[in-house]
Amino acid sequence: MVRTAVVGATGYAGAELVRLLVAHPNVNLTVATSEKDAGHPLGDVHRYLAPFGLSLVKADVAAIAADADFAFVALPHGASTPVVSGLVDAGLRVVDLGADFRFSDRDLYESWYGTHAAPGLLQAAVYGLTEYARDRVAGAQLVANPGCYPTGALMALLPLGGSIASPVFVDSKSGTSGAGRAGKTEQIFAEVTENIRPYGTWKHRHQPEIESTLANLGEADVRVRFSPHLLPIARGLLSSCYVQFDRPVDLAKRFADAYASEQFVAVLPEGEVPEPRNVRGTNRVEIGFAYDRDENCATVISAIDNLGKGAAGQAIQNFNCMLGLPEHTGLQLTAALP
Amino acid sequence: MVRTAVVGATGYAGAELVRLLVAHPNVNLTVATSEKDAGHPLGDVHRYLAPFGLSLVKADVAAIAADADFAFVALPHGASTPVVSGLVDAGLRVVDLGADFRFSDRDLYESWYGTHAAPGLLQAAVYGLTEYARDRVAGAQLVANPGCYPTGALMALLPLGGSIASPVFVDSKSGTSGAGRAGKTEQIFAEVTENIRPYGTWKHRHQPEIESTLANLGEADVRVRFSPHLLPIARGLLSSCYVQFDRPVDLAKRFADAYASEQFVAVLPEGEVPEPRNVRGTNRVEIGFAYDRDENCATVISAIDNLGKGAAGQAIQNFNCMLGLPEHTGLQLTAALP
Amino acid sequence: MVRTAVVGATGYAGAELVRLLVAHPNVNLTVATSEKDAGHPLGDVHRYLAPFGLSLVKADVAAIAADADFAFVALPHGASTPVVSGLVDAGLRVVDLGADFRFSDRDLYESWYGTHAAPGLLQAAVYGLTEYARDRVAGAQLVANPGCYPTGALMALLPLGGSIASPVFVDSKSGTSGAGRAGKTEQIFAEVTENIRPYGTWKHRHQPEIESTLANLGEADVRVRFSPHLLPIARGLLSSCYVQFDRPVDLAKRFADAYASEQFVAVLPEGEVPEPRNVRGTNRVEIGFAYDRDENCATVISAIDNLGKGAAGQAIQNFNCMLGLPEHTGLQLTAALP
Amino acid sequence: MVRTAVVGATGYAGAELVRLLVAHPNVNLTVATSEKDAGHPLGDVHRYLAPFGLSLVKADVAAIAADADFAFVALPHGASTPVVSGLVDAGLRVVDLGADFRFSDRDLYESWYGTHAAPGLLQAAVYGLTEYARDRVAGAQLVANPGCYPTGALMALLPLGGSIASPVFVDSKSGTSGAGRAGKTEQIFAEVTENIRPYGTWKHRHQPEIESTLANLGEADVRVRFSPHLLPIARGLLSSCYVQFDRPVDLAKRFADAYASEQFVAVLPEGEVPEPRNVRGTNRVEIGFAYDRDENCATVISAIDNLGKGAAGQAIQNFNCMLGLPEHTGLQLTAALP
């Protein structure tokens, strides 16, 4: 049993981590933190987690290090860095779900997020898109869990490497839990229901994360134009990637080669379409595609749960990988109705 | 044309007032206020209102009085009192959509809302449940527009007067716009969707408003036990009233007597049920009922739009009444799909 | 491992049974039936169940009996009777999720549902509201799983026995999955969203199920007036029970006495309210209440998942009970966000 | 007053036509038809239309011609042709909301829809994208109202003519009312909520309608790859068009030139995004865009109401145009909250 901490347990990703970790056979969840609700049971914030009797404490590095050997950190970007640095120094292994350690290029990070407080750790962190990094993840002390949008887009695009003509258009549609639990007027029910809201078109911080990961994996010349949309659903993420190729491509073969042995990835037969409902609550990815020989272009669509493969699910997949456990340990395979 | 102000134009009730008043043939909408967004076009806050080119100003009594002869005040309770007092002193006629002037009994008001800053106006204000007060409304300078829940419950209960055995149980289900536009975590989409949330059971401030209005209209001995619920819908309000009688009652006759000549009230044949969707965007009320001769009890259900008959619609109905216009002037009769 | 069949695996209750049973440590799911989709993989109907590779067959009693020792039957009422009779004759133990065996009184059943094709089995079947019948369930060959509405109402009302003044008003609000998967215009999205629809007021077949169960457990003189409503949510069921007492009652003590040792029932402190979101996907029940000493009346509210404790969850709880397993085996305790 | 018929008044587009036409100052709505519900009041099907007292009749051409001088036809494709032909022969002017007369090229029509029963009318019909065809619409006897998706895409793309590099990717997201009122399992609430469903990727019949209209207006070489998605909303349509240019383009100027004088089109400042909620219930179009000088590509986003500018609204705009009325007659400018 691994003594485990969830730092930032009351946000949606943190709460989903708790939901999964309490049922993980190798985990002893010893610490759950919240700055705002420290001193209260987690069940006071999320009553569906009340049966597990966890109490919230403030995120004190020494205290966490005393009680845990592994930490999941689910804090806002910027807030992660000092906590993660401290925990790494104290010898813990860490999966950070924020953006702070997702860029190996400090300048690129700082041009989108501002000054980085621990740039020395950027090179040490492994970008944990598990299917593409499991060997490095296995040996890492610090894994940077990919963003939800990059996960969806990269799982769709990476098998196409070497043939993509720039630019790629990524049109993503996300559930509101991706925007966090803060009370903002633009997020209240009456502002979200019966609508779809584009936001941050081409200016979202996940655009450079997608581009730089493509570059790190060999696609240095591909520009991505990323258009996210807010859906009136709580969780779920669909990404439609519009790709022009510079040579004919056999998409069925590409996806089969990439994912035939991946337990979390379902490549659908041509004509079937991915839907977030099919992966809700799981770490699964559905991928579908249509290819046009005349125009030599494709639509590739992926569906994930933004809190699953897009956050807590992949974090646990990385945890399993780091500990040498089967990757599906503690991860449910079946979705459920909403 | 009546020069008209909407004080508090960015909340949901205020915005619905603007939506209706810009199309009202007797209204010249000269003032729209917002403390928070003064200096900006109303279209910056609610882009669907952008075509009308209104600019927001702070709620200064003298400035409003200079530009308007009539004011709708849609402010939080407490905040209404000084503005309404000032406007009344300046000679304007006012419909106040808040709670500040709904109680004739100062002690009762203060036991639920705290100290009243202008108790002298309580007796002057007319409680504007139009169908039951149109003569007094016609001559009033200040009309207190009923709360959304009291409107729904009272329209269902008042025709039963003289035969109700206490207590009456009122189970109401409301859209989220009734809770305002403030950004609160409990109101964000992911907390509201796929759920129904009881709140304020028996402790909601609309309970004494229902009871005291029943008492004012002759039902002094009827206790009301009021249970509101928050629905995952933006607008709409359904109230199911569970009533035990102390004598046999002919409900069909009671409702026909009360509402046969009311243009905004549809009493449904037994077996048909009211639904908020049928009255969305309108000032209409649907009422249905089931009566049990064996147990001498009834379920009476009413459906209104909480922003229509429950707020802006009834406010305009009262305005029309005060000005001697046909009551439906400027009020659309047809609902629309969501 | 118990060889187990799900008869009627494509409806919502059947699919939820499959979702839970594939993870149940004592179950080998050998048969899944569908009249309409026999010959196809279950994953073609519900792709979220595709990972388990089940194939659908027609519901042939002999074939089921050859491959299974236990059967869950989730068929429309009427359709259950011949299948259940056949399986019982063949020696299988059965939990029937339909209404066919919920009434011990044949006349009462037939007055609401029409002629019963196997009345001899009515006395043999045990009504499986587990907390109130676990001893009889343990030894039963045939368990009639309670309806979703009766489960919610009875869990709230039964602890109040001996003090209820008739009639009790039950105002229930259900997710649409309770109405099944059939394509009907009244159930399509645009007819359901942004609305709440009362239906079957006082005429719903679950009313006599609630009354007769109360009578069987000693409350012969209590009449129930049941008002269901359709919510714009997929799953979840909230029941508000309005009760007048004939003597003072200590509700906190009543509920503590009834449920303190029940692992699936959470009695909330006065002031906290049950919400379907807290029990989504689980077999849990939340109960809250408000009591008025002056009027000697109460509101008791229960929240369940209509597909959980209201259907598949309780069916598995009964299965566990019949097999002498811990009642929570295979049942998740934690809800998840929608 | 123009004696007017709505043929097919119970579908969503037909009912929206009725909702608008009963308030149109130049219309006397004399006929409303339904094959299925003939003999019943329209209010029995859509109770929100009950206040207008219309009775449904079967669609008999002679009877319609006796009572009406103008007809809106909102029937399924194929079913329109005989009715429209008959009405045109009888001398009525007609706006057909179906697909039957949207293609001037018979072969293209038949390759997507099957044999056309009145090909001789294809050349006579005017494709009524009003802003681009108002002169021809004014003189037409038969106007083919554009499809909802083509309307959204073409309003975004046509100002870019002469500079588009093929192919254009159109990613559209529509409310469910676009799929009609038929009861299908895939359309029921629990299948649609908390999900987004791609469908008909690159195979939807609106793809050739977009392409052929572009060709008719001078863009013969532009291929469109169209990907529609079903949203969990009742009405509203957002279309994101991803365009590569073959020369630098000044988008702000293009859109200003095209739409500065159009009362129904709002071109948003760069950085603001169209949202369906802002145009709900109206005939308005919102257009926003982002342009990338480095890659010489753009995202152009349009928002319409699929039942407004995408169906009934534009049909009435065309009607006004045909009769020489101001185009906004009878069309509300303001949206409302859901």
PDB file of all heavy atoms in Angstrom, chain B residues 171 194-195 223 225 234 242 275 277 280 292 295, chain C residues 171 173 194-195 223 225 234 242 275 280 292 295:
ATOM      1  N   ASP B 171     -45.227  22.515  -2.426  1.00  0.00           N
ATOM      2  CA  ASP B 171     -43.965  21.954  -2.924  1.00  0.00           C
ATOM      3  C   ASP B 171     -43.683  22.635  -4.257  1.00  0.00           C
ATOM      4  O   ASP B 171     -44.351  22.376  -5.251  1.00  0.00           O
ATOM      5  CB  ASP B 171     -44.146  20.436  -3.092  1.00  0.00           C
ATOM      6  CG  ASP B 171     -42.892  19.727  -3.561  1.00  0.00           C
ATOM      7  OD1 ASP B 171     -42.348  20.112  -4.616  1.00  0.00           O
ATOM      8  OD2 ASP B 171     -42.442  18.777  -2.885  1.00  0.00           O
ATOM      9  N   GLU B 194     -28.351  17.742 -13.793  1.00  0.00           N
ATOM     10  CA  GLU B 194     -28.616  16.354 -13.399  1.00  0.00           C
ATOM     11  C   GLU B 194     -28.842  16.225 -11.896  1.00  0.00           C
ATOM     12  O   GLU B 194     -28.371  15.304 -11.241  1.00  0.00           O
ATOM     13  CB  GLU B 194     -27.455  15.448 -13.839  1.00  0.00           C
ATOM     14  CG  GLU B 194     -27.276  15.375 -15.346  1.00  0.00           C
ATOM     15  CD  GLU B 194     -28.440  14.676 -16.062  1.00  0.00           C
ATOM     16  OE1 GLU B 194     -28.952  13.691 -15.530  1.00  0.00           O
ATOM     17  OE2 GLU B 194     -28.839  15.156 -17.145  1.00  0.00           O
ATOM     18  N   ASN B 195     -29.596  17.164 -11.359  1.00  0.00           N
ATOM     19  CA  ASN B 195     -29.888  17.151  -9.923  1.00  0.00           C
ATOM     20  C   ASN B 195     -31.163  17.933  -9.681  1.00  0.00           C
ATOM     21  O   ASN B 195     -31.634  18.685 -10.546  1.00  0.00           O
ATOM     22  CB  ASN B 195     -28.723  17.819  -9.158  1.00  0.00           C
ATOM     23  CG  ASN B 195     -28.752  17.518  -7.663  1.00  0.00           C
ATOM     24  OD1 ASN B 195     -29.202  16.449  -7.240  1.00  0.00           O
ATOM     25  ND2 ASN B 195     -28.294  18.459  -6.861  1.00  0.00           N
ATOM     26  N   ARG B 223     -52.112  27.726   8.005  1.00  0.00           N
ATOM     27  CA  ARG B 223     -50.646  27.678   8.028  1.00  0.00           C
ATOM     28  C   ARG B 223     -50.165  27.067   6.714  1.00  0.00           C
ATOM     29  O   ARG B 223     -50.775  26.132   6.181  1.00  0.00           O
ATOM     30  CB  ARG B 223     -50.134  26.805   9.181  1.00  0.00           C
ATOM     31  CG  ARG B 223     -50.491  27.288  10.593  1.00  0.00           C
ATOM     32  CD  ARG B 223     -49.552  28.386  11.094  1.00  0.00           C
ATOM     33  NE  ARG B 223     -49.765  29.671  10.463  1.00  0.00           N
ATOM     34  CZ  ARG B 223     -50.798  30.488  10.725  1.00  0.00           C
ATOM     35  NH1 ARG B 223     -51.711  30.192  11.592  1.00  0.00           N
ATOM     36  NH2 ARG B 223     -50.910  31.649  10.086  1.00  0.00           N
ATOM     37  N   ARG B 225     -46.828  25.307   4.833  1.00  0.00           N
ATOM     38  CA  ARG B 225     -45.493  24.727   4.975  1.00  0.00           C
ATOM     39  C   ARG B 225     -44.922  24.627   3.565  1.00  0.00           C
ATOM     40  O   ARG B 225     -45.407  23.875   2.737  1.00  0.00           O
ATOM     41  CB  ARG B 225     -45.549  23.359   5.670  1.00  0.00           C
ATOM     42  CG  ARG B 225     -45.895  23.452   7.151  1.00  0.00           C
ATOM     43  CD  ARG B 225     -44.842  24.263   7.901  1.00  0.00           C
ATOM     44  NE  ARG B 225     -45.232  24.693   9.248  1.00  0.00           N
ATOM     45  CZ  ARG B 225     -45.681  25.916   9.533  1.00  0.00           C
ATOM     46  NH1 ARG B 225     -45.823  26.817   8.577  1.00  0.00           N
ATOM     47  NH2 ARG B 225     -45.977  26.251  10.758  1.00  0.00           N
ATOM     48  N   ALA B 234     -33.413  27.028 -16.536  1.00  0.00           N
ATOM     49  CA  ALA B 234     -33.116  28.437 -16.328  1.00  0.00           C
ATOM     50  C   ALA B 234     -34.332  29.200 -15.816  1.00  0.00           C
ATOM     51  O   ALA B 234     -34.224  30.021 -14.915  1.00  0.00           O
ATOM     52  CB  ALA B 234     -32.615  29.072 -17.624  1.00  0.00           C
ATOM     53  N   TYR B 242     -50.720  20.863  -1.679  1.00  0.00           N
ATOM     54  CA  TYR B 242     -51.442  19.720  -1.127  1.00  0.00           C
ATOM     55  C   TYR B 242     -52.346  20.230  -0.026  1.00  0.00           C
ATOM     56  O   TYR B 242     -51.879  20.762   0.980  1.00  0.00           O
ATOM     57  CB  TYR B 242     -50.456  18.675  -0.623  1.00  0.00           C
ATOM     58  CG  TYR B 242     -49.623  18.166  -1.786  1.00  0.00           C
ATOM     59  CD1 TYR B 242     -48.327  18.628  -2.004  1.00  0.00           C
ATOM     60  CD2 TYR B 242     -50.177  17.287  -2.705  1.00  0.00           C
ATOM     61  CE1 TYR B 242     -47.602  18.203  -3.108  1.00  0.00           C
ATOM     62  CE2 TYR B 242     -49.451  16.856  -3.810  1.00  0.00           C
ATOM     63  CZ  TYR B 242     -48.174  17.318  -4.002  1.00  0.00           C
ATOM     64  OH  TYR B 242     -47.461  16.906  -5.099  1.00  0.00           O
ATOM     65  N   GLU B 275     -47.504  22.842 -17.158  1.00  0.00           N
ATOM     66  CA  GLU B 275     -46.066  22.674 -17.391  1.00  0.00           C
ATOM     67  C   GLU B 275     -45.447  24.045 -17.621  1.00  0.00           C
ATOM     68  O   GLU B 275     -45.978  24.841 -18.399  1.00  0.00           O
ATOM     69  CB  GLU B 275     -45.810  21.819 -18.648  1.00  0.00           C
ATOM     70  CG  GLU B 275     -46.269  20.402 -18.545  1.00  0.00           C
ATOM     71  CD  GLU B 275     -46.010  19.627 -19.838  1.00  0.00           C
ATOM     72  OE1 GLU B 275     -44.838  19.520 -20.249  1.00  0.00           O
ATOM     73  OE2 GLU B 275     -46.983  19.155 -20.440  1.00  0.00           O
ATOM     74  N   ARG B 277     -43.114  24.905 -19.486  1.00  0.00           N
ATOM     75  CA  ARG B 277     -42.786  25.171 -20.892  1.00  0.00           C
ATOM     76  C   ARG B 277     -43.918  25.880 -21.620  1.00  0.00           C
ATOM     77  O   ARG B 277     -43.671  26.593 -22.577  1.00  0.00           O
ATOM     78  CB  ARG B 277     -42.418  23.879 -21.610  1.00  0.00           C
ATOM     79  CG  ARG B 277     -43.589  22.989 -21.933  1.00  0.00           C
ATOM     80  CD  ARG B 277     -43.169  21.596 -22.387  1.00  0.00           C
ATOM     81  NE  ARG B 277     -42.035  21.589 -23.230  1.00  0.00           N
ATOM     82  CZ  ARG B 277     -42.065  21.494 -24.574  1.00  0.00           C
ATOM     83  NH1 ARG B 277     -43.215  21.434 -25.208  1.00  0.00           N
ATOM     84  NH2 ARG B 277     -40.956  21.459 -25.258  1.00  0.00           N
ATOM     85  N   ARG B 280     -43.589  29.774 -20.821  1.00  0.00           N
ATOM     86  CA  ARG B 280     -42.251  30.389 -20.846  1.00  0.00           C
ATOM     87  C   ARG B 280     -42.254  31.722 -21.596  1.00  0.00           C
ATOM     88  O   ARG B 280     -42.745  31.821 -22.712  1.00  0.00           O
ATOM     89  CB  ARG B 280     -41.266  29.438 -21.503  1.00  0.00           C
ATOM     90  CG  ARG B 280     -39.828  29.933 -21.467  1.00  0.00           C
ATOM     91  CD  ARG B 280     -38.903  29.009 -22.214  1.00  0.00           C
ATOM     92  NE  ARG B 280     -38.746  27.741 -21.524  1.00  0.00           N
ATOM     93  CZ  ARG B 280     -39.087  26.552 -22.022  1.00  0.00           C
ATOM     94  NH1 ARG B 280     -39.586  26.446 -23.227  1.00  0.00           N
ATOM     95  NH2 ARG B 280     -38.917  25.466 -21.316  1.00  0.00           N
ATOM     96  N   ASP B 292     -60.012  14.487  -4.426  1.00  0.00           N
ATOM     97  CA  ASP B 292     -60.334  13.155  -3.941  1.00  0.00           C
ATOM     98  C   ASP B 292     -61.517  13.267  -2.979  1.00  0.00           C
ATOM     99  O   ASP B 292     -61.382  13.788  -1.871  1.00  0.00           O
ATOM    100  CB  ASP B 292     -59.102  12.601  -3.223  1.00  0.00           C
ATOM    101  CG  ASP B 292     -59.349  11.201  -2.673  1.00  0.00           C
ATOM    102  OD1 ASP B 292     -60.525  10.814  -2.524  1.00  0.00           O
ATOM    103  OD2 ASP B 292     -58.368  10.519  -2.391  1.00  0.00           O
ATOM    104  N   GLU B 295     -61.113  11.278   0.552  1.00  0.00           N
ATOM    105  CA  GLU B 295     -60.270  11.868   1.585  1.00  0.00           C
ATOM    106  C   GLU B 295     -60.521  13.372   1.704  1.00  0.00           C
ATOM    107  O   GLU B 295     -59.939  14.028   2.581  1.00  0.00           O
ATOM    108  CB  GLU B 295     -58.796  11.612   1.264  1.00  0.00           C
ATOM    109  CG  GLU B 295     -58.413  10.139   1.192  1.00  0.00           C
ATOM    110  CD  GLU B 295     -58.311   9.504   2.580  1.00  0.00           C
ATOM    111  OE1 GLU B 295     -57.956  10.210   3.537  1.00  0.00           O
ATOM    112  OE2 GLU B 295     -58.618   8.292   2.694  1.00  0.00           O
TER     113      GLU B 295
ATOM    114  N   ASP C 171     -44.773  13.700  -3.118  1.00  0.00           N
ATOM    115  CA  ASP C 171     -44.454  14.478  -4.317  1.00  0.00           C
ATOM    116  C   ASP C 171     -43.071  14.025  -4.784  1.00  0.00           C
ATOM    117  O   ASP C 171     -42.055  14.354  -4.178  1.00  0.00           O
ATOM    118  CB  ASP C 171     -44.464  15.970  -3.943  1.00  0.00           C
ATOM    119  CG  ASP C 171     -44.217  16.891  -5.126  1.00  0.00           C
ATOM    120  OD1 ASP C 171     -43.164  16.724  -5.775  1.00  0.00           O
ATOM    121  OD2 ASP C 171     -45.047  17.778  -5.377  1.00  0.00           O
ATOM    122  N   LYS C 173     -40.039  13.397  -7.823  1.00  0.00           N
ATOM    123  CA  LYS C 173     -39.459  13.982  -9.028  1.00  0.00           C
ATOM    124  C   LYS C 173     -38.405  13.012  -9.540  1.00  0.00           C
ATOM    125  O   LYS C 173     -37.422  12.746  -8.858  1.00  0.00           O
ATOM    126  CB  LYS C 173     -38.774  15.309  -8.702  1.00  0.00           C
ATOM    127  CG  LYS C 173     -39.659  16.378  -8.067  1.00  0.00           C
ATOM    128  CD  LYS C 173     -39.655  16.340  -6.536  1.00  0.00           C
ATOM    129  CE  LYS C 173     -40.411  17.516  -5.936  1.00  0.00           C
ATOM    130  NZ  LYS C 173     -40.659  17.328  -4.482  1.00  0.00           N
ATOM    131  N   GLU C 194     -35.554  22.025 -19.931  1.00  0.00           N
ATOM    132  CA  GLU C 194     -36.096  23.314 -19.462  1.00  0.00           C
ATOM    133  C   GLU C 194     -37.579  23.213 -19.109  1.00  0.00           C
ATOM    134  O   GLU C 194     -38.370  24.110 -19.392  1.00  0.00           O
ATOM    135  CB  GLU C 194     -35.873  24.400 -20.527  1.00  0.00           C
ATOM    136  CG  GLU C 194     -34.416  24.694 -20.800  1.00  0.00           C
ATOM    137  CD  GLU C 194     -33.692  25.331 -19.619  1.00  0.00           C
ATOM    138  OE1 GLU C 194     -34.292  26.168 -18.935  1.00  0.00           O
ATOM    139  OE2 GLU C 194     -32.517  24.962 -19.367  1.00  0.00           O
ATOM    140  N   ASN C 195     -37.934  22.112 -18.465  1.00  0.00           N
ATOM    141  CA  ASN C 195     -39.321  21.904 -18.068  1.00  0.00           C
ATOM    142  C   ASN C 195     -39.357  20.937 -16.896  1.00  0.00           C
ATOM    143  O   ASN C 195     -38.369  20.260 -16.596  1.00  0.00           O
ATOM    144  CB  ASN C 195     -40.096  21.298 -19.264  1.00  0.00           C
ATOM    145  CG  ASN C 195     -41.614  21.367 -19.098  1.00  0.00           C
ATOM    146  OD1 ASN C 195     -42.126  22.324 -18.495  1.00  0.00           O
ATOM    147  ND2 ASN C 195     -42.330  20.391 -19.607  1.00  0.00           N
ATOM    148  N   ARG C 223     -53.821   6.320   3.704  1.00  0.00           N
ATOM    149  CA  ARG C 223     -53.986   6.548   2.269  1.00  0.00           C
ATOM    150  C   ARG C 223     -52.802   7.391   1.779  1.00  0.00           C
ATOM    151  O   ARG C 223     -52.354   8.303   2.474  1.00  0.00           O
ATOM    152  CB  ARG C 223     -55.277   7.313   1.953  1.00  0.00           C
ATOM    153  CG  ARG C 223     -56.592   6.605   2.348  1.00  0.00           C
ATOM    154  CD  ARG C 223     -57.027   5.572   1.301  1.00  0.00           C
ATOM    155  NE  ARG C 223     -56.228   4.376   1.311  1.00  0.00           N
ATOM    156  CZ  ARG C 223     -56.294   3.401   2.245  1.00  0.00           C
ATOM    157  NH1 ARG C 223     -57.112   3.504   3.253  1.00  0.00           N
ATOM    158  NH2 ARG C 223     -55.520   2.352   2.170  1.00  0.00           N
ATOM    159  N   ARG C 225     -51.459   9.773  -1.418  1.00  0.00           N
ATOM    160  CA  ARG C 225     -51.786  10.488  -2.654  1.00  0.00           C
ATOM    161  C   ARG C 225     -50.464  10.847  -3.313  1.00  0.00           C
ATOM    162  O   ARG C 225     -49.684  11.648  -2.779  1.00  0.00           O
ATOM    163  CB  ARG C 225     -52.632  11.740  -2.352  1.00  0.00           C
ATOM    164  CG  ARG C 225     -54.058  11.408  -1.923  1.00  0.00           C
ATOM    165  CD  ARG C 225     -54.792  10.635  -3.028  1.00  0.00           C
ATOM    166  NE  ARG C 225     -56.031   9.975  -2.599  1.00  0.00           N
ATOM    167  CZ  ARG C 225     -56.116   8.701  -2.255  1.00  0.00           C
ATOM    168  NH1 ARG C 225     -55.044   7.922  -2.261  1.00  0.00           N
ATOM    169  NH2 ARG C 225     -57.272   8.177  -1.926  1.00  0.00           N
ATOM    170  N   ALA C 234     -31.264  12.635 -16.361  1.00  0.00           N
ATOM    171  CA  ALA C 234     -31.317  11.252 -16.836  1.00  0.00           C
ATOM    172  C   ALA C 234     -31.630  10.286 -15.698  1.00  0.00           C
ATOM    173  O   ALA C 234     -32.413   9.363 -15.851  1.00  0.00           O
ATOM    174  CB  ALA C 234     -29.999  10.871 -17.502  1.00  0.00           C
ATOM    175  N   TYR C 242     -45.239  14.550   2.600  1.00  0.00           N
ATOM    176  CA  TYR C 242     -45.874  15.507   3.498  1.00  0.00           C
ATOM    177  C   TYR C 242     -46.827  14.747   4.396  1.00  0.00           C
ATOM    178  O   TYR C 242     -47.787  14.140   3.921  1.00  0.00           O
ATOM    179  CB  TYR C 242     -46.579  16.587   2.678  1.00  0.00           C
ATOM    180  CG  TYR C 242     -45.567  17.343   1.844  1.00  0.00           C
ATOM    181  CD1 TYR C 242     -45.398  17.075   0.494  1.00  0.00           C
ATOM    182  CD2 TYR C 242     -44.708  18.264   2.456  1.00  0.00           C
ATOM    183  CE1 TYR C 242     -44.420  17.734  -0.243  1.00  0.00           C
ATOM    184  CE2 TYR C 242     -43.732  18.917   1.715  1.00  0.00           C
ATOM    185  CZ  TYR C 242     -43.590  18.649   0.371  1.00  0.00           C
ATOM    186  OH  TYR C 242     -42.621  19.285  -0.343  1.00  0.00           O
ATOM    187  N   GLU C 275     -29.970  15.086  -1.904  1.00  0.00           N
ATOM    188  CA  GLU C 275     -29.881  15.459  -3.320  1.00  0.00           C
ATOM    189  C   GLU C 275     -29.537  14.211  -4.123  1.00  0.00           C
ATOM    190  O   GLU C 275     -28.620  13.479  -3.761  1.00  0.00           O
ATOM    191  CB  GLU C 275     -28.773  16.505  -3.546  1.00  0.00           C
ATOM    192  CG  GLU C 275     -29.021  17.841  -2.890  1.00  0.00           C
ATOM    193  CD  GLU C 275     -27.864  18.808  -3.144  1.00  0.00           C
ATOM    194  OE1 GLU C 275     -27.567  19.092  -4.315  1.00  0.00           O
ATOM    195  OE2 GLU C 275     -27.249  19.246  -2.164  1.00  0.00           O
ATOM    196  N   ARG C 280     -25.830   9.258  -6.957  1.00  0.00           N
ATOM    197  CA  ARG C 280     -25.843   8.821  -8.365  1.00  0.00           C
ATOM    198  C   ARG C 280     -24.927   7.620  -8.589  1.00  0.00           C
ATOM    199  O   ARG C 280     -23.777   7.610  -8.185  1.00  0.00           O
ATOM    200  CB  ARG C 280     -25.402   9.966  -9.261  1.00  0.00           C
ATOM    201  CG  ARG C 280     -25.491   9.659 -10.744  1.00  0.00           C
ATOM    202  CD  ARG C 280     -24.968  10.792 -11.585  1.00  0.00           C
ATOM    203  NE  ARG C 280     -25.828  11.954 -11.492  1.00  0.00           N
ATOM    204  CZ  ARG C 280     -25.444  13.152 -11.038  1.00  0.00           C
ATOM    205  NH1 ARG C 280     -24.214  13.359 -10.638  1.00  0.00           N
ATOM    206  NH2 ARG C 280     -26.305  14.138 -10.978  1.00  0.00           N
ATOM    207  N   ASP C 292     -42.540  20.035  12.419  1.00  0.00           N
ATOM    208  CA  ASP C 292     -43.152  21.240  12.955  1.00  0.00           C
ATOM    209  C   ASP C 292     -43.987  20.854  14.168  1.00  0.00           C
ATOM    210  O   ASP C 292     -45.027  20.204  14.038  1.00  0.00           O
ATOM    211  CB  ASP C 292     -44.034  21.852  11.855  1.00  0.00           C
ATOM    212  CG  ASP C 292     -44.724  23.119  12.328  1.00  0.00           C
ATOM    213  OD1 ASP C 292     -44.821  23.343  13.559  1.00  0.00           O
ATOM    214  OD2 ASP C 292     -45.177  23.878  11.471  1.00  0.00           O
ATOM    215  N   GLU C 295     -47.752  22.387  14.297  1.00  0.00           N
ATOM    216  CA  GLU C 295     -48.776  21.760  13.445  1.00  0.00           C
ATOM    217  C   GLU C 295     -48.688  20.237  13.502  1.00  0.00           C
ATOM    218  O   GLU C 295     -49.525  19.549  12.920  1.00  0.00           O
ATOM    219  CB  GLU C 295     -48.612  22.239  11.998  1.00  0.00           C
ATOM    220  CG  GLU C 295     -48.767  23.750  11.809  1.00  0.00           C
ATOM    221  CD  GLU C 295     -50.221  24.190  11.908  1.00  0.00           C
ATOM    222  OE1 GLU C 295     -51.103  23.395  11.525  1.00  0.00           O
ATOM    223  OE2 GLU C 295     -50.456  25.320  12.387  1.00  0.00           O
TER     224      GLU C 295
END
